[in-house]
Amino acid sequence: MKRIKVLVTGGAGYIGAHTVVELHKSGYDAVIADNLSNSSEDVLTGIEKITGEKPVFERVDCTDYNALADLFLRHKDISYAIHFAAFKAVGESVSDPMKYYRNNLISLINLIEIMTSAGESSIVFSSSCTVYGQPSANYLPVGEDAPLQPAQSPYGKTKQMCEDILKDASQAMKERLKVISLRYFNPVGAHPSALIGELPMGVPQNLLPFVAQTAAGVREFLNVWGDDYNTPDGSCIRDYIYVCDLAKAHVAALDRMTERNGKMDENIEYYNLGTGRGLSVLEVIDLFKRANSVDVPFKIAPRRPGDVEQVWADPSKANKVLGWRADTPVESVMQSAWKWEKRIRGME
Ligand code: UD1
């Protein structure tokens, strides 16, 4: 069977790199487009060591229309894309919203316009559970039919706007554009080889990188943002999904678009990607400590503005329709995060 070529924008990023590895395993040829604004070329070496093949890399900023159009002229046989290239720091998006609107919206608009002008195209979009805000109790766990709520940050708004853009474009170009929007819950962990993983720039804002840095002694202690929420132990609840499981969902989405596995019912589909299990911040700390036999000192601190209290996924649609499941045991996930942290700190 002829191998299908897939453009992976943001393919040198955290989730992108893991997805490139899974695509390789599943017989797809990835072409990475990345401007390396939040990643480095070392990631490409990591991918090469894992797959045994140097990944095809194009240093392109997707907000640059001409540069992206040129890429498609060099790769005329690409009609599938997975679009990761976007900024994702919630706090920064509040202080610098224009950076987020410019980057996240224009990249997507360019991609849609360039791909559809050449012919039939399919785009897998990297979305987020942030589109659901804080779901009411009767919508927990969250299915795809839960009402969307106004996003709390410009970052979240860009995810909602991008979904709207994709919906309108796919409705208007029914014969030309197919879309699968994947709404991620909280991606964590690293490839078991520890050759690729999450590289937070500066002080990490996300929980797992902060936990790992605290265990490594880089941070003195972790702040648990709030223990007075209406949850069993008072800390916030999230659905932490292993990045390699998440990467596999992108392959499953492509298999559906390419009709290797089923056929799309509509030309835009949405899937929630999570484990179906909610974990509190305190439970995560405890699991990390026990899985790795390390200490993680923490203090209870005031709530973080904008945090939702609890959200976890109902992944049954993705389980059933995509034939995909996040099934890596949480202990292995925590171990992968620690192995990666030790590697980047030179502790092994
Ligand atoms: C949010 C978005 C998610 C987005 C991500 C990008 C929601 C529900 N989720 O994730 O869609 O992709 O940002 O960054 O809006 N915590 C601490 N101490 C820390 C760090 C975090 O207690 O030092 C707690 C937070 O308060 C939260 C949990 O850990 O309860 C997870 O936080 P984080 O990893 O930042 O992810 P979200 O805010 O859930």
Side-chain angles (χ1 to χ4, degrees):
M1 194 165 51
K2 192 176 174 307
R3 289 171 73 95
I4 294 173
K5 225 180 189 185
V6 183
L7 179 70
V8 186
T9 75
Y14 172 44
I15 307 171
H18 289 83
T19 301
V20 169
V21 168
E22 291 302 328
L23 288 171
H24 185 271
K25 263 199 220 164
S26 307
Y28 289 97
D29 286 336
V31 173
I32 298 174
D34 203 302
N35 63 359
L36 302 181
S37 67
N38 193 22
S39 53
S40 90
E41 273 182 86
D42 296 348
V43 175
L44 306 174
T45 313
I47 294 172
E48 183 177 356
K49 283 192 183 149
I50 296 169
T51 63
E53 232 175 79
K54 202 177 166 64
V56 180
F57 172 61
E58 298 269 4
R59 187 163 187 168
V60 166
D61 182 334
C62 298
T63 63
D64 181 340
Y65 185 95
N66 293 332
L68 189 59
D70 282 351
L71 182 154
F72 277 94
L73 291 178
R74 289 192 294 280
H75 300 277
K76 287 206 170 69
D77 48 347
I78 293 185
S79 59
Y80 294 89
I82 307 180
H83 184 51
F84 292 106
F87 294 142
K88 59 164 189 178
V90 176
E92 185 191 43
S93 79
V94 175
S95 55
D96 194 354
M98 292 316 293
K99 177 175 171 183
Y100 277 69
Y101 290 124
R102 168 171 290 279
N103 187 57
N104 294 6
L105 301 182
I106 295 180
S107 296
L108 177 69
I109 292 169
N110 285 346
L111 186 69
I112 297 171
E113 287 187 344
I114 294 166
M115 286 186 82
T116 54
S117 68
E120 270 184 49
S121 334
S122 303
I123 297 176
V124 178
F125 178 65
S126 185
S127 189
S128 165
C129 71
T130 196
V131 301
Y132 299 114
Q134 174 60 68
S136 54
N138 52 327
Y139 282 109
L140 279 173
V142 194
E144 292 78 1
D145 56 350
L148 305 191
Q149 301 204 40
Q152 296 289 316
S153 68
Y155 156 77
K157 284 184 196 157
T158 67
K159 290 295 167 194
Q160 292 183 330
M161 288 175 181
C162 284
E163 283 201 353
D164 284 344
I165 292 168
L166 285 162
K167 185 172 180 198
D168 291 345
S170 66
Q171 297 303 316
M173 295 186 276
K174 278 212 155 50
E175 306 307 317
R176 279 186 162 239
L177 180 60
K178 284 191 280 190
V179 176
I180 292 186
S181 185
L182 300 178
R183 294 172 174 163
Y184 314 151
F185 282 66
N186 290 56
V188 291
H191 192 269
S193 65
L195 290 164
I196 52 173
E198 188 171 11
L199 263 183
M201 303 274 180
V203 182
Q205 302 303 311
N206 294 111
L207 180 61
L208 246 281
F210 208 108
V211 167
Q213 289 196 4
T214 307
V218 179
R219 313 273 159 208
E220 202 184 330
F221 61 88
L222 166 84
N223 282 308
V224 172
W225 305 125
D227 70 345
D228 55 354
Y229 285 99
N230 185 23
T231 59
D233 66 22
S235 64
C236 291
I237 293 177
R238 298 286 185 274
D239 187 333
Y240 296 90
I241 174 170
Y242 183 40
V243 66
C244 294
D245 289 337
L246 186 59
K248 287 181 186 144
H250 295 76
V251 175
L254 274 180
D255 285 348
R256 186 162 170 80
M257 289 176 141
T258 56
E259 299 181 11
R260 284 182 176 186
N261 178 16
K263 197 170 183 308
M264 288 177 70
D265 301 321
E266 316 203 23
N267 66 331
I268 181 161
E269 294 181 350
Y270 303 88
Y271 295 94
N272 286 351
L273 301 182
T275 62
R277 177 183 177 197
L279 292 175
S280 74
V281 176
L282 294 172
E283 282 174 320
V284 168
I285 297 170
D286 192 50
L287 284 164
F288 189 93
K289 280 163 63 170
R290 284 197 283 128
N292 298 307
S293 309
V294 288
D295 194 21
V296 180
F298 68 86
K299 291 185 182 167
I300 305 298
R303 292 180 177 196
R304 183 171 72 173
D307 259 342
V308 304
E309 180 175 275
Q310 44 187 324
V311 61
W312 71 98
D314 172 359
S316 49
K317 183 179 173 196
N319 298 162
K320 189 163 154 250
V321 182
L322 297 179
W324 166 91
R325 191 173 291 278
D327 52 11
T328 304
V330 69
E331 290 72 22
S332 316
V333 177
M334 298 297 167
Q335 284 163 355
S336 77
W338 180 228
K339 187 173 173 188
W340 166 250
E341 187 66 34
K342 283 192 291 184
R343 181 170 161 254
I344 57 176
R345 302 278 155 217
M347 290 166 69
E348 271 186 322

